[in-house]
Amino acid sequence: MTKPTFATAMTELEEVVRKLEQGDVPLEEAIDLYKKGMELSKLCHDTLQNAEQQLISIVGEDGEKKAFQQGKGED
């Protein structure tokens, strides 16, 4: 099974939450939905953390990574 994209995972997570909030699902299904929701939540969290780490560092003109310094743009 391939890993879903961030957008797909978010959509699926929203659907899981909607179903659980309705409160009319059998206990066994609710447990399965909860597990799926936790997996989707972790996937989304990990994806966002990865994106954040990529944005924290930038590659300088010399090809080396440098820490991103907020507010230090070119004038």
Side-chain angles (χ1 to χ4, degrees):
M1 183 168 91
T2 62
K3 185 168 102 171
T5 65
F6 178 80
T8 301
M10 282 298 296
T11 301
E12 289 180 28
L13 183 56
E14 289 170 355
E15 180 65 17
V16 166
V17 170
R18 185 187 65 74
K19 286 179 180 179
L20 288 173
E21 285 179 340
Q22 286 178 346
D24 60 352
V25 294
L27 180 60
E28 294 80 11
E29 184 180 347
I31 292 169
D32 289 340
L33 285 170
Y34 179 80
K35 288 178 184 177
K36 181 178 180 181
M38 291 303 294
E39 290 171 4
L40 291 167
S41 175
K42 181 177 179 350
L43 183 129
C44 290
H45 179 265
D46 292 348
T47 301
L48 288 173
Q49 268 194 323
N50 187 347
E52 180 181 31
Q53 289 302 313
Q54 289 179 35
L55 293 173
I56 287 175
S57 64
I58 58 172
V59 177
E61 290 178 13
D62 57 1
E64 293 197 26
K65 287 188 176 182
K66 299 179 182 179
F68 177 75
Q69 296 177 8
Q70 188 172 357
K72 288 206 165 195
E74 295 180 1
D75 295 321

